[in-house]
Amino acid sequence: MMMAILMTIIALAVVLYAAAMVFKRRYKMRAEEVRNQVESIEKASLDADFAKLSQMTLSGDSLTEVENMDKSYHYLMNRRLPEIIEELDEIDEQIEGYHVFLSKTGLETIRKKTMDAISQYRELAAKVSRIKKQAESHQEAVKELKDKYQRIRKILLTKNFSYGQSIDALESSMQNLENLFEDYMKVLEKGDLKKTDEILSELRQKTRVLETALDKIPPIYKNYKNVYPEQMTEIKEAIRKMKEERYEFEFDSEKVISETDDQIKRLDEGLAKIEVEDCELLDNKIYENIEKLYDAIEKEYNAKLRFDKRLSYFKDFMEHARKQERELLIELDRLSMNYVFNHNEPENAHSLDDTLKRIEKWYQGYENRDEEMSICYSEYYSRMLENLQNLTNIEKRQKEIFDSVASLFKDEQDAKRAIQNFDAEMHRLKRSIDNLNLPGLSNEYQQYFLKVSTEIVDLANDLGKIQVDMDQIEHDLINTQSDLDVLEKKTQEIIDASTLAQECIQYANRYRGESEEVANAQKEAIRLFEKCDYIKSLDTIAHILEKVDENSYRRIEASYKKKSKYQS
Protein backbone atom coordinates (compact mmCIF):
# COMPACT_ATOMS: atom_id res chain seq x y z
CA MET A 1 0.00 0.00 0.00
CA MET A 2 2.80 2.43 0.95
CA MET A 3 4.66 1.49 -2.19
CA ALA A 4 1.64 2.42 -4.36
CA ILE A 5 1.28 5.78 -2.67
CA LEU A 6 4.97 6.45 -3.11
CA MET A 7 4.80 5.60 -6.82
CA THR A 8 1.85 7.96 -7.26
CA ILE A 9 3.69 10.78 -5.54
CA ILE A 10 6.75 10.20 -7.74
CA ALA A 11 4.61 10.20 -10.91
CA LEU A 12 2.86 13.41 -9.87
CA ALA A 13 6.21 15.05 -9.16
CA VAL A 14 7.47 14.08 -12.57
CA VAL A 15 4.35 15.57 -14.22
CA LEU A 16 4.66 18.80 -12.24
CA TYR A 17 8.34 19.08 -13.09
CA ALA A 18 7.63 18.58 -16.79
CA ALA A 19 4.84 21.17 -16.72
CA ALA A 20 7.13 23.60 -14.89
CA MET A 21 9.76 23.23 -17.59
CA VAL A 22 7.18 23.90 -20.36
CA PHE A 23 5.78 27.03 -18.67
CA LYS A 24 9.26 28.20 -17.77
CA ARG A 25 10.30 28.26 -21.43
CA ARG A 26 7.04 29.95 -22.45
CA TYR A 27 7.24 32.70 -19.81
CA LYS A 28 10.92 33.31 -20.50
CA MET A 29 10.04 33.90 -24.19
CA ARG A 30 7.23 36.33 -23.27
CA ALA A 31 9.47 38.20 -20.85
CA GLU A 32 12.14 38.46 -23.53
CA GLU A 33 9.61 39.89 -26.03
CA VAL A 34 8.54 42.58 -23.53
CA ARG A 35 12.20 43.44 -22.74
CA ASN A 36 12.91 43.83 -26.50
CA GLN A 37 9.94 46.19 -26.88
CA VAL A 38 11.16 48.35 -24.03
CA GLU A 39 14.67 48.45 -25.46
CA SER A 40 13.33 49.43 -28.90
CA ILE A 41 11.69 52.49 -27.32
CA GLU A 42 14.91 53.41 -25.54
CA LYS A 43 16.87 53.11 -28.78
CA ALA A 44 14.35 55.25 -30.76
CA SER A 45 15.14 58.26 -28.64
CA LEU A 46 13.39 61.60 -29.25
CA ASP A 47 16.03 63.54 -27.34
CA ALA A 48 17.42 65.19 -30.48
CA ASP A 49 13.94 66.17 -31.63
CA PHE A 50 13.07 67.72 -28.27
CA ALA A 51 16.43 69.51 -28.29
CA LYS A 52 15.48 71.12 -31.64
CA LEU A 53 12.06 72.06 -30.31
CA SER A 54 13.69 73.67 -27.30
CA GLN A 55 15.77 75.84 -29.63
CA MET A 56 12.64 77.10 -31.42
CA THR A 57 11.04 80.30 -30.20
CA LEU A 58 7.68 79.14 -29.00
CA SER A 59 4.99 80.83 -27.01
CA GLY A 60 1.37 80.57 -26.01
CA ASP A 61 -0.44 77.27 -26.48
CA SER A 62 2.39 75.90 -28.62
CA LEU A 63 4.95 76.45 -25.84
CA THR A 64 2.62 74.90 -23.25
CA GLU A 65 2.05 71.89 -25.48
CA VAL A 66 5.77 71.31 -26.06
CA GLU A 67 6.60 71.69 -22.35
CA ASN A 68 3.94 69.10 -21.45
CA MET A 69 5.26 66.79 -24.13
CA ASP A 70 8.83 67.17 -22.84
CA LYS A 71 7.75 66.33 -19.29
CA SER A 72 5.79 63.29 -20.48
CA TYR A 73 8.69 62.10 -22.60
CA HIS A 74 11.33 62.35 -19.87
CA TYR A 75 9.01 60.77 -17.33
CA LEU A 76 8.49 57.90 -19.76
CA MET A 77 12.18 57.43 -20.49
CA ASN A 78 13.60 58.07 -17.00
CA ARG A 79 10.90 56.63 -14.83
CA ARG A 80 8.35 54.32 -16.43
CA LEU A 81 10.69 52.31 -18.66
CA PRO A 82 13.31 51.70 -15.87
CA GLU A 83 10.49 50.56 -13.59
CA ILE A 84 9.34 48.11 -16.21
CA ILE A 85 12.90 46.75 -16.57
CA GLU A 86 13.18 46.27 -12.78
CA GLU A 87 9.87 44.40 -12.72
CA LEU A 88 11.06 42.23 -15.61
CA ASP A 89 14.21 41.35 -13.65
CA GLU A 90 12.05 40.21 -10.74
CA ILE A 91 9.91 38.13 -13.08
CA ASP A 92 13.04 36.51 -14.52
CA GLU A 93 14.09 35.47 -10.98
CA GLN A 94 10.64 34.00 -10.34
CA ILE A 95 10.82 32.03 -13.57
CA GLU A 96 14.27 30.67 -12.71
CA GLY A 97 13.20 29.83 -9.14
CA TYR A 98 10.36 27.82 -7.79
CA HIS A 99 7.64 30.40 -8.45
CA VAL A 100 7.28 29.85 -12.20
CA PHE A 101 3.49 29.48 -11.95
CA LEU A 102 3.24 32.71 -9.96
CA SER A 103 5.04 34.70 -12.68
CA LYS A 104 2.08 34.56 -15.11
CA THR A 105 0.08 37.32 -13.43
CA GLY A 106 3.08 39.60 -13.03
CA LEU A 107 4.16 39.05 -16.61
CA GLU A 108 0.70 40.01 -17.92
CA THR A 109 0.72 43.21 -15.82
CA ILE A 110 4.15 44.19 -17.17
CA ARG A 111 3.02 43.50 -20.75
CA LYS A 112 0.08 45.90 -20.38
CA LYS A 113 2.36 48.59 -18.92
CA THR A 114 4.71 48.13 -21.84
CA MET A 115 1.90 48.49 -24.38
CA ASP A 116 0.78 51.70 -22.67
CA ALA A 117 4.36 52.98 -22.81
CA ILE A 118 4.63 52.16 -26.50
CA SER A 119 1.31 53.95 -27.18
CA GLN A 120 2.48 57.01 -25.25
CA TYR A 121 5.77 57.02 -27.12
CA ARG A 122 4.07 56.85 -30.51
CA GLU A 123 1.71 59.65 -29.57
CA LEU A 124 4.62 61.84 -28.50
CA ALA A 125 6.57 61.03 -31.68
CA ALA A 126 3.54 61.97 -33.82
CA LYS A 127 3.12 65.29 -32.01
CA VAL A 128 6.81 66.09 -32.40
CA SER A 129 6.59 65.31 -36.13
CA ARG A 130 3.49 67.46 -36.48
CA ILE A 131 5.07 70.45 -34.76
CA LYS A 132 8.21 70.14 -36.88
CA LYS A 133 6.16 70.00 -40.08
CA GLN A 134 4.04 72.88 -38.82
CA ALA A 135 7.14 75.00 -38.29
CA GLU A 136 8.52 74.03 -41.70
CA SER A 137 5.22 74.82 -43.45
CA HIS A 138 5.22 78.30 -41.95
CA GLN A 139 8.72 78.88 -43.22
CA GLU A 140 7.61 77.83 -46.69
CA ALA A 141 4.46 79.95 -46.37
CA VAL A 142 6.49 83.04 -45.56
CA LYS A 143 8.55 82.62 -48.73
CA GLU A 144 5.48 81.80 -50.82
CA LEU A 145 3.51 84.83 -49.57
CA LYS A 146 6.46 87.19 -49.99
CA ASP A 147 6.82 86.08 -53.63
CA LYS A 148 3.09 86.54 -54.26
CA TYR A 149 2.97 89.98 -52.69
CA GLN A 150 5.96 91.05 -54.72
CA ARG A 151 4.20 89.92 -57.91
CA ILE A 152 0.95 91.63 -56.91
CA ARG A 153 2.74 94.93 -56.14
CA LYS A 154 4.45 94.77 -59.53
CA ILE A 155 1.11 94.19 -61.32
CA LEU A 156 -0.59 97.04 -59.46
CA LEU A 157 2.32 99.33 -60.22
CA THR A 158 2.88 98.53 -63.90
CA LYS A 159 -0.66 97.66 -65.02
CA ASN A 160 -2.82 99.96 -62.95
CA PHE A 161 -4.42 101.26 -66.19
CA SER A 162 -5.95 97.79 -66.69
CA TYR A 163 -7.98 98.04 -63.47
CA GLY A 164 -9.61 101.43 -63.80
CA GLN A 165 -11.84 102.30 -60.85
CA SER A 166 -10.84 99.04 -59.14
CA ILE A 167 -7.27 100.18 -58.53
CA ASP A 168 -7.97 102.03 -55.26
CA ALA A 169 -9.84 99.08 -53.74
CA LEU A 170 -7.15 96.68 -54.98
CA GLU A 171 -4.36 98.74 -53.43
CA SER A 172 -6.36 99.00 -50.21
CA SER A 173 -6.78 95.21 -50.18
CA MET A 174 -3.06 94.83 -50.81
CA GLN A 175 -2.26 97.13 -47.91
CA ASN A 176 -4.60 95.16 -45.62
CA LEU A 177 -2.85 91.96 -46.68
CA GLU A 178 0.56 93.42 -45.90
CA ASN A 179 -0.64 94.55 -42.47
CA LEU A 180 -2.04 91.10 -41.79
CA PHE A 181 1.23 89.58 -42.99
CA GLU A 182 3.15 91.74 -40.53
CA ASP A 183 0.88 90.50 -37.72
CA TYR A 184 1.51 86.97 -38.91
CA MET A 185 5.29 87.46 -38.81
CA LYS A 186 5.12 88.90 -35.29
CA VAL A 187 3.08 85.95 -34.00
CA LEU A 188 5.36 83.54 -35.87
CA GLU A 189 8.45 85.10 -34.26
CA LYS A 190 6.86 84.63 -30.86
CA GLY A 191 6.37 80.95 -31.67
CA ASP A 192 2.62 80.60 -31.09
CA LEU A 193 2.11 78.09 -33.89
CA LYS A 194 -1.58 77.47 -33.19
CA LYS A 195 -2.47 81.15 -33.47
CA THR A 196 -0.16 81.45 -36.47
CA ASP A 197 -2.08 78.70 -38.26
CA GLU A 198 -5.29 80.69 -37.91
CA ILE A 199 -3.69 83.86 -39.31
CA LEU A 200 -2.02 81.92 -42.15
CA SER A 201 -5.35 80.42 -43.19
CA GLU A 202 -6.91 83.89 -43.33
CA LEU A 203 -3.91 85.26 -45.24
CA ARG A 204 -4.08 82.55 -47.88
CA GLN A 205 -7.82 82.95 -48.34
CA LYS A 206 -7.61 86.73 -48.79
CA THR A 207 -4.59 86.38 -51.06
CA ARG A 208 -6.54 84.00 -53.31
CA VAL A 209 -9.40 86.50 -53.46
CA LEU A 210 -7.04 89.29 -54.48
CA GLU A 211 -5.28 87.13 -57.08
CA THR A 212 -8.65 86.15 -58.55
CA ALA A 213 -9.60 89.82 -58.78
CA LEU A 214 -6.31 90.64 -60.50
CA ASP A 215 -6.97 87.93 -63.12
CA LYS A 216 -10.65 88.60 -63.79
CA ILE A 217 -11.04 92.36 -63.56
CA PRO A 218 -8.93 93.43 -66.62
CA PRO A 219 -11.16 91.79 -69.30
CA ILE A 220 -14.31 92.99 -67.52
CA TYR A 221 -12.90 96.53 -67.21
CA LYS A 222 -11.87 96.45 -70.88
CA ASN A 223 -15.48 95.62 -71.84
CA TYR A 224 -16.78 98.35 -69.52
CA LYS A 225 -14.31 100.99 -70.72
CA ASN A 226 -13.79 100.32 -74.43
CA VAL A 227 -16.20 97.71 -75.81
CA TYR A 228 -19.63 98.39 -74.33
CA PRO A 229 -19.68 102.19 -74.77
CA GLU A 230 -18.89 101.90 -78.49
CA GLN A 231 -21.38 99.09 -78.96
CA MET A 232 -24.16 100.87 -77.10
CA THR A 233 -23.56 104.07 -79.06
CA GLU A 234 -23.70 102.10 -82.30
CA ILE A 235 -26.84 100.23 -81.24
CA LYS A 236 -28.68 103.35 -80.09
CA GLU A 237 -27.89 105.17 -83.34
CA ALA A 238 -28.91 102.18 -85.48
CA ILE A 239 -32.19 101.73 -83.62
CA ARG A 240 -32.91 105.46 -83.78
CA LYS A 241 -32.50 105.45 -87.57
CA MET A 242 -34.55 102.26 -87.95
CA LYS A 243 -37.34 103.78 -85.86
CA GLU A 244 -37.34 106.79 -88.16
CA GLU A 245 -37.69 104.40 -91.09
CA ARG A 246 -40.70 102.76 -89.37
CA TYR A 247 -38.99 99.57 -88.26
CA GLU A 248 -40.45 97.74 -85.29
CA PHE A 249 -38.92 94.98 -83.16
CA GLU A 250 -40.27 91.76 -81.68
CA PHE A 251 -39.50 93.04 -78.18
CA ASP A 252 -39.27 96.42 -76.42
CA SER A 253 -35.82 97.52 -77.60
CA GLU A 254 -35.92 100.75 -75.53
CA LYS A 255 -36.53 98.74 -72.38
CA VAL A 256 -33.58 96.45 -73.12
CA ILE A 257 -31.35 99.46 -73.81
CA SER A 258 -32.40 101.04 -70.52
CA GLU A 259 -31.75 97.80 -68.64
CA THR A 260 -28.31 97.51 -70.26
CA ASP A 261 -27.39 101.11 -69.37
CA ASP A 262 -28.40 100.39 -65.77
CA GLN A 263 -26.33 97.21 -65.75
CA ILE A 264 -23.28 99.11 -67.05
CA LYS A 265 -23.75 101.63 -64.24
CA ARG A 266 -23.94 98.84 -61.66
CA LEU A 267 -20.85 97.26 -63.25
CA ASP A 268 -19.00 100.55 -62.66
CA GLU A 269 -19.98 100.43 -58.99
CA GLY A 270 -19.07 96.74 -58.70
CA LEU A 271 -15.63 97.30 -60.21
CA ALA A 272 -14.97 100.12 -57.75
CA LYS A 273 -15.77 97.71 -54.90
CA ILE A 274 -14.00 94.75 -56.64
CA GLU A 275 -17.13 92.63 -56.27
CA VAL A 276 -15.77 90.11 -58.78
CA GLU A 277 -18.60 87.56 -58.85
CA ASP A 278 -21.28 90.24 -59.21
CA CYS A 279 -19.22 91.92 -61.93
CA GLU A 280 -18.90 88.64 -63.84
CA LEU A 281 -22.67 88.14 -63.73
CA LEU A 282 -23.31 91.72 -64.86
CA ASP A 283 -20.72 91.42 -67.62
CA ASN A 284 -22.46 88.31 -68.95
CA LYS A 285 -25.90 89.94 -68.79
CA ILE A 286 -24.64 93.05 -70.60
CA TYR A 287 -23.02 90.89 -73.27
CA GLU A 288 -26.24 88.89 -73.75
CA ASN A 289 -28.38 92.05 -74.01
CA ILE A 290 -26.03 93.66 -76.52
CA GLU A 291 -26.00 90.47 -78.60
CA LYS A 292 -29.79 90.39 -78.41
CA LEU A 293 -29.98 93.98 -79.69
CA TYR A 294 -27.44 93.38 -82.46
CA ASP A 295 -29.29 90.22 -83.52
CA ALA A 296 -32.60 92.10 -83.56
CA ILE A 297 -31.15 94.90 -85.69
CA GLU A 298 -29.66 92.44 -88.15
CA LYS A 299 -32.79 90.30 -88.17
CA GLU A 300 -35.17 93.19 -88.91
CA TYR A 301 -32.84 94.75 -91.49
CA ASN A 302 -32.41 91.46 -93.37
CA ALA A 303 -36.10 90.64 -92.98
CA LYS A 304 -37.05 93.90 -94.74
CA LEU A 305 -34.60 93.21 -97.56
CA ARG A 306 -36.00 89.71 -98.06
CA PHE A 307 -39.60 90.91 -97.66
CA ASP A 308 -39.19 93.69 -100.25
CA LYS A 309 -37.34 91.36 -102.61
CA ARG A 310 -40.09 88.73 -102.60
CA LEU A 311 -43.10 91.04 -102.38
CA SER A 312 -43.59 91.28 -106.16
CA TYR A 313 -43.23 87.51 -106.53
CA PHE A 314 -45.71 86.99 -103.70
CA LYS A 315 -48.23 89.31 -105.36
CA ASP A 316 -47.91 87.54 -108.73
CA PHE A 317 -48.19 84.15 -107.08
CA MET A 318 -51.32 85.24 -105.21
CA GLU A 319 -52.93 86.66 -108.36
CA HIS A 320 -52.12 83.49 -110.29
CA ALA A 321 -53.69 81.38 -107.55
CA ARG A 322 -56.79 83.65 -107.63
CA LYS A 323 -57.06 83.31 -111.42
CA GLN A 324 -56.87 79.52 -111.19
CA GLU A 325 -59.41 79.53 -108.36
CA ARG A 326 -61.91 81.46 -110.47
CA GLU A 327 -61.41 79.06 -113.38
CA LEU A 328 -61.78 76.09 -111.07
CA LEU A 329 -65.02 77.35 -109.53
CA ILE A 330 -66.46 78.15 -112.98
CA GLU A 331 -65.49 74.72 -114.30
CA LEU A 332 -66.99 72.97 -111.28
CA ASP A 333 -70.19 74.96 -111.66
CA ARG A 334 -70.39 74.03 -115.36
CA LEU A 335 -69.65 70.35 -114.78
CA SER A 336 -72.11 70.13 -111.90
CA MET A 337 -74.92 70.44 -114.43
CA ASN A 338 -73.92 67.18 -116.11
CA TYR A 339 -72.03 65.19 -113.49
CA VAL A 340 -72.34 64.06 -109.92
CA PHE A 341 -69.30 64.91 -107.70
CA ASN A 342 -68.41 62.15 -105.29
CA HIS A 343 -65.18 63.50 -103.79
CA ASN A 344 -66.29 66.82 -102.27
CA GLU A 345 -64.69 68.75 -105.13
CA PRO A 346 -66.93 71.86 -104.73
CA GLU A 347 -66.49 71.91 -100.94
CA ASN A 348 -62.72 71.53 -101.23
CA ALA A 349 -62.55 74.24 -103.86
CA HIS A 350 -64.51 76.68 -101.67
CA SER A 351 -62.26 75.85 -98.73
CA LEU A 352 -59.27 76.82 -100.89
CA ASP A 353 -61.10 80.00 -101.81
CA ASP A 354 -61.57 80.88 -98.12
CA THR A 355 -57.86 80.36 -97.45
CA LEU A 356 -57.00 82.48 -100.47
CA LYS A 357 -59.28 85.26 -99.23
CA ARG A 358 -57.46 85.32 -95.87
CA ILE A 359 -54.10 85.61 -97.66
CA GLU A 360 -55.44 88.43 -99.85
CA LYS A 361 -56.81 90.21 -96.80
CA TRP A 362 -53.40 90.04 -95.10
CA TYR A 363 -51.71 91.42 -98.22
CA GLN A 364 -54.26 94.23 -98.57
CA GLY A 365 -53.68 95.09 -94.92
CA TYR A 366 -50.00 95.61 -95.70
CA GLU A 367 -50.63 97.51 -98.95
CA ASN A 368 -53.23 99.85 -97.40
CA ARG A 369 -51.34 100.45 -94.13
CA ASP A 370 -50.82 103.94 -92.76
CA GLU A 371 -47.45 105.28 -93.94
CA GLU A 372 -46.68 106.29 -90.35
CA MET A 373 -47.23 102.74 -89.14
CA SER A 374 -44.15 100.89 -87.83
CA ILE A 375 -43.60 97.31 -88.99
CA CYS A 376 -41.87 94.33 -87.47
CA TYR A 377 -40.49 92.96 -90.73
CA SER A 378 -39.32 89.67 -89.23
CA GLU A 379 -42.93 88.89 -88.33
CA TYR A 380 -44.19 90.07 -91.71
CA TYR A 381 -41.55 88.05 -93.54
CA SER A 382 -42.36 84.99 -91.47
CA ARG A 383 -46.04 85.44 -92.34
CA MET A 384 -45.12 85.91 -96.01
CA LEU A 385 -43.21 82.60 -96.02
CA GLU A 386 -46.17 80.92 -94.35
CA ASN A 387 -48.56 82.33 -96.95
CA LEU A 388 -46.23 81.37 -99.80
CA GLN A 389 -46.40 77.81 -98.55
CA ASN A 390 -50.18 78.12 -98.29
CA LEU A 391 -50.31 79.37 -101.90
CA THR A 392 -48.16 76.45 -103.01
CA ASN A 393 -50.54 74.06 -101.26
CA ILE A 394 -53.56 75.84 -102.78
CA GLU A 395 -52.23 75.49 -106.33
CA LYS A 396 -51.36 71.86 -105.71
CA ARG A 397 -54.90 71.12 -104.48
CA GLN A 398 -56.38 73.15 -107.35
CA LYS A 399 -54.53 70.97 -109.83
CA GLU A 400 -55.66 67.81 -108.05
CA ILE A 401 -59.28 68.94 -108.21
CA PHE A 402 -58.91 70.01 -111.86
CA ASP A 403 -57.39 66.62 -112.71
CA SER A 404 -60.12 64.75 -110.87
CA VAL A 405 -62.95 66.46 -112.83
CA ALA A 406 -61.16 67.12 -116.14
CA SER A 407 -61.47 63.47 -117.18
CA LEU A 408 -65.23 63.28 -116.55
CA PHE A 409 -66.18 64.00 -120.18
CA LYS A 410 -63.51 61.65 -121.51
CA ASP A 411 -64.61 58.98 -119.05
CA GLU A 412 -68.19 59.44 -120.22
CA GLN A 413 -67.20 58.96 -123.86
CA ASP A 414 -65.13 55.91 -122.98
CA ALA A 415 -68.12 54.50 -121.11
CA LYS A 416 -70.37 55.00 -124.14
CA ARG A 417 -67.88 53.21 -126.37
CA ALA A 418 -67.64 50.42 -123.81
CA ILE A 419 -71.46 50.02 -123.84
CA GLN A 420 -71.43 49.92 -127.62
CA ASN A 421 -68.82 47.18 -127.45
CA PHE A 422 -70.91 45.32 -124.88
CA ASP A 423 -73.93 45.54 -127.15
CA ALA A 424 -71.94 44.33 -130.16
CA GLU A 425 -70.56 41.42 -128.15
CA MET A 426 -74.06 40.42 -127.05
CA HIS A 427 -75.21 40.39 -130.69
CA ARG A 428 -72.19 38.32 -131.67
CA LEU A 429 -72.89 35.76 -128.92
CA LYS A 430 -76.56 35.58 -129.98
CA ARG A 431 -75.62 35.01 -133.64
CA SER A 432 -73.20 32.28 -132.64
CA ILE A 433 -75.97 30.45 -130.82
CA ASP A 434 -78.55 31.10 -133.56
CA ASN A 435 -76.20 29.71 -136.24
CA LEU A 436 -76.21 26.32 -134.49
CA ASN A 437 -79.99 25.86 -135.00
CA LEU A 438 -80.27 24.25 -131.58
CA PRO A 439 -83.60 23.01 -130.26
CA GLY A 440 -83.39 25.55 -127.48
CA LEU A 441 -81.38 26.91 -124.54
CA SER A 442 -81.47 26.17 -120.82
CA ASN A 443 -83.43 28.47 -118.51
CA GLU A 444 -80.25 29.18 -116.54
CA TYR A 445 -78.43 30.42 -119.67
CA GLN A 446 -81.37 32.47 -120.87
CA GLN A 447 -81.74 34.13 -117.47
CA TYR A 448 -78.04 34.97 -117.35
CA PHE A 449 -78.17 36.33 -120.92
CA LEU A 450 -81.14 38.48 -119.91
CA LYS A 451 -79.28 39.67 -116.76
CA VAL A 452 -76.28 40.89 -118.78
CA SER A 453 -78.55 42.51 -121.40
CA THR A 454 -80.40 44.35 -118.62
CA GLU A 455 -77.13 45.58 -117.12
CA ILE A 456 -76.08 47.02 -120.47
CA VAL A 457 -79.44 48.73 -120.95
CA ASP A 458 -79.24 50.18 -117.39
CA LEU A 459 -75.75 51.51 -118.08
CA ALA A 460 -76.99 53.21 -121.24
CA ASN A 461 -79.89 54.73 -119.30
CA ASP A 462 -77.58 55.98 -116.53
CA LEU A 463 -75.37 57.65 -119.13
CA GLY A 464 -78.45 59.32 -120.56
CA LYS A 465 -79.37 61.05 -117.30
CA ILE A 466 -79.02 64.83 -116.87
CA GLN A 467 -76.40 64.35 -114.12
CA VAL A 468 -74.11 61.42 -114.67
CA ASP A 469 -72.45 59.69 -111.72
CA MET A 470 -69.22 58.55 -113.34
CA ASP A 471 -67.99 56.77 -110.23
CA GLN A 472 -71.09 54.58 -110.28
CA ILE A 473 -70.82 54.17 -114.05
CA GLU A 474 -67.22 52.96 -113.78
CA HIS A 475 -68.18 50.61 -110.98
CA ASP A 476 -71.03 49.15 -113.08
CA LEU A 477 -68.84 48.89 -116.18
CA ILE A 478 -66.42 46.67 -114.29
CA ASN A 479 -69.21 44.42 -113.03
CA THR A 480 -70.87 44.21 -116.47
CA GLN A 481 -67.59 43.35 -118.16
CA SER A 482 -67.07 40.58 -115.63
CA ASP A 483 -70.60 39.23 -116.21
CA LEU A 484 -70.12 39.45 -119.97
CA ASP A 485 -66.93 37.42 -119.70
CA VAL A 486 -68.86 34.74 -117.82
CA LEU A 487 -71.64 34.80 -120.43
CA GLU A 488 -69.08 34.41 -123.21
CA LYS A 489 -67.63 31.40 -121.41
CA LYS A 490 -71.08 29.85 -120.96
CA THR A 491 -71.88 30.49 -124.62
CA GLN A 492 -68.68 28.84 -125.77
CA GLU A 493 -69.42 25.84 -123.56
CA ILE A 494 -72.82 25.46 -125.24
CA ILE A 495 -71.26 25.77 -128.72
CA ASP A 496 -68.51 23.25 -127.98
CA ALA A 497 -70.74 20.75 -126.14
CA SER A 498 -73.60 20.84 -128.67
CA THR A 499 -71.31 20.48 -131.72
CA LEU A 500 -69.26 17.63 -130.22
CA ALA A 501 -72.42 15.89 -128.98
CA GLN A 502 -73.87 15.89 -132.49
CA GLU A 503 -70.65 14.56 -134.01
CA CYS A 504 -70.37 11.82 -131.34
CA ILE A 505 -74.02 10.80 -131.86
CA GLN A 506 -73.35 10.59 -135.59
CA TYR A 507 -70.16 8.57 -134.98
CA ALA A 508 -72.08 6.15 -132.73
CA ASN A 509 -74.10 4.96 -135.74
CA ARG A 510 -71.15 2.68 -136.59
CA TYR A 511 -71.64 0.59 -133.46
CA ARG A 512 -75.36 0.93 -132.82
CA GLY A 513 -76.25 -2.30 -134.66
CA GLU A 514 -73.48 -4.28 -133.01
CA SER A 515 -73.93 -3.00 -129.43
CA GLU A 516 -77.17 -2.60 -127.57
CA GLU A 517 -75.28 -0.54 -124.96
CA VAL A 518 -74.19 1.94 -127.63
CA ALA A 519 -77.73 2.10 -129.02
CA ASN A 520 -79.17 2.87 -125.59
CA ALA A 521 -76.52 5.49 -124.89
CA GLN A 522 -77.14 7.11 -128.27
CA LYS A 523 -80.83 7.20 -127.59
CA GLU A 524 -80.27 8.84 -124.14
CA ALA A 525 -77.84 11.36 -125.59
CA ILE A 526 -80.41 12.38 -128.23
CA ARG A 527 -83.06 12.77 -125.52
CA LEU A 528 -80.80 14.99 -123.42
CA PHE A 529 -79.80 17.01 -126.49
CA GLU A 530 -83.42 17.72 -127.32
CA LYS A 531 -83.94 18.84 -123.70
CA CYS A 532 -81.10 21.37 -124.23
CA ASP A 533 -78.75 19.63 -121.76
CA TYR A 534 -75.85 19.59 -124.22
CA ILE A 535 -73.03 19.02 -121.77
CA LYS A 536 -74.68 15.96 -120.20
CA SER A 537 -75.60 14.67 -123.64
CA LEU A 538 -71.95 14.86 -124.68
CA ASP A 539 -70.76 13.13 -121.50
CA THR A 540 -73.22 10.25 -122.04
CA ILE A 541 -72.26 9.45 -125.62
CA ALA A 542 -68.54 10.18 -125.21
CA HIS A 543 -68.28 7.76 -122.31
CA ILE A 544 -69.77 4.79 -124.23
CA LEU A 545 -67.70 5.53 -127.34
CA GLU A 546 -64.49 5.33 -125.32
CA LYS A 547 -65.57 1.86 -124.13
CA VAL A 548 -66.18 0.42 -127.61
CA ASP A 549 -63.59 2.46 -129.51
CA GLU A 550 -60.70 3.63 -127.36
CA ASN A 551 -59.57 7.22 -128.01
CA SER A 552 -62.43 7.78 -130.42
CA TYR A 553 -63.73 10.81 -128.49
CA ARG A 554 -60.27 12.31 -128.27
CA ARG A 555 -59.92 12.08 -132.05
CA ILE A 556 -63.30 13.69 -132.59
CA GLU A 557 -62.44 16.49 -130.11
CA ALA A 558 -59.03 17.11 -131.68
CA SER A 559 -60.56 17.33 -135.13
CA TYR A 560 -63.19 19.78 -133.85
CA LYS A 561 -60.62 22.04 -132.18
CA LYS A 562 -58.46 22.05 -135.28
CA LYS A 563 -61.41 22.98 -137.48
CA SER A 564 -62.56 25.68 -134.98
CA LYS A 565 -59.10 27.19 -134.88
CA TYR A 566 -58.94 27.27 -138.67
CA GLN A 567 -62.37 28.88 -138.90
CA SER A 568 -61.54 31.52 -136.31
Side-chain angles (χ1 to χ4, degrees), residues 15-71:
V15 172
L16 289 174
Y17 178 76
M21 290 301 101
V22 172
F23 283 108
K24 181 177 181 179
R25 283 194 300 274
R26 181 182 297 175
Y27 293 157
K28 283 184 71 175
M29 288 176 62
R30 289 183 179 178
E32 188 63 25
E33 289 175 359
V34 173
R35 189 179 296 277
N36 290 337
Q37 289 174 335
V38 173
E39 290 177 354
S40 67
I41 296 175
E42 292 176 336
K43 289 178 181 178
S45 173
L46 296 175
D47 290 341
D49 294 315
F50 274 101
K52 288 182 180 179
L53 291 180
S54 66
Q55 294 173 5
M56 294 172 61
T57 303
L58 299 174
S59 65
D61 292 338
S62 300
L63 177 60
T64 301
E65 183 181 15
V66 170
E67 288 176 345
N68 290 335
M69 288 165 55
D70 185 71
K71 288 178 183 179

Side-chain angles (χ1 to χ4, degrees), residues 207-223:
T207 301
R208 281 194 298 270
V209 171
L210 183 56
E211 287 178 321
T212 299
L214 289 174
D215 289 338
K216 293 188 174 182
I217 286 177
I220 297 175
Y221 175 69
K222 178 184 176 183
N223 287 339

